[in-house]
Amino acid sequence: MSPSDVDVDRPSAARVYDYVLGGKDNHAVDRRAAEMLLEIAPEIRDTARQNRAFLRRVVRHLAGLGVRQFLDLGAGLPTVENTHEVAQAAAADSKTVYVDNDPIVLTHGRAFLDPDSGSTFLSADIRDTTAVLKGAGEHLDLSEPVGLLFVNVLHLIGDGDDPAGLVAAYAHALAPGSHVVITHVSGDGAGSELRERIGKVFTGSSADARLRTRGEIGRMFGGLPLLEPGLVDVAAWRPENGAPVGELRVFAGVAQVP
Ligand SMILES: C[S@@+](CC[C@H](N)C(=O)[O-])C[C@H]1O[C@@H](n2cnc3c(N)ncnc32)[C@H](O)[C@@H]1O
């Protein structure tokens, strides 16, 4: 599908990410850009897959704790085992609101979602907390717990936009029993050569994009209590199999809103 508002002549971050994950919603221009990225930093493929596997595990875990509503911020293109599918497999009445500011994600997302699924895509910038919460509130009951997902998106929000303040604004608006989930790419432990390569990849996707340290990522939870095992490598958060940790770290943590 190539609707007129979707530019197929320039790579889209969402479609490039889809290609890296082995998806089919991408064009030649995205595949070329993705291959260039993977040539610069082949580690990205493994960390992207580990990140999606974490998303499945965390949605299942929160569903097990009784969470029936999910707000997936910076959702990306639908791929396999998306948030609403994992949530509904655990509890059929679960609802998900996906938010992304890429028009391609909205077009594909709306085409992909069954209108009767109880889930929806919102086109919004997650930095506009008022608009996102208003839109989400039309589909979710914000007086009940929500699983708030910032999965591999906050590294695209620059310090000038105060990502920790954003997380706090959302967490503050949510009911007790809600959970804040963050995964974030980090430069910790990476050699200077890898940091330089990843820096190049990031600058290509957003001038504001930034690797952060584990300490900086931890502070984004604003002091909310973290579920076990705390803030750990994404593959090591309640792993179902082994937990291989590469040189390119992605940290993951889940906090509960008291
Ligand atoms: C790396 S992808 C992650 C997708 C998905 N969460 C995952 O982890 O598989 C980041 C997504 O965040 C979206 N995004 C980046 N900045 C955003 C913003 N300010 N508001 C809404 N979406 C944003 C991009 O369009 C992209 O689809």
Side-chain angles (χ1 to χ4, degrees), residues 32 61 134 210 216 237:
R32 274 196 300 278
H61 185 75
K134 182 171 178 295
R210 188 153 108 60
E216 288 174 307
W237 195 90

Side-chain angles (χ1 to χ4, degrees), residues 17 51-52 74-76 100-102 124-126 151-153 156-157:
Y17 187 65
N51 180 65
R52 288 299 298 191
D100 207 287
N101 65 350
D102 185 334
D125 191 310
I126 64 168
V151 177
N152 255 2
V153 63
L156 299 171
I157 305 288

Side-chain angles (χ1 to χ4, degrees), residues 2 33 42 50 64 115 130 159 205 213 225 232 237:
S2 302
Q50 288 175 357
T130 310
D159 291 339
S205 70
T213 64
V232 295
W237 195 90

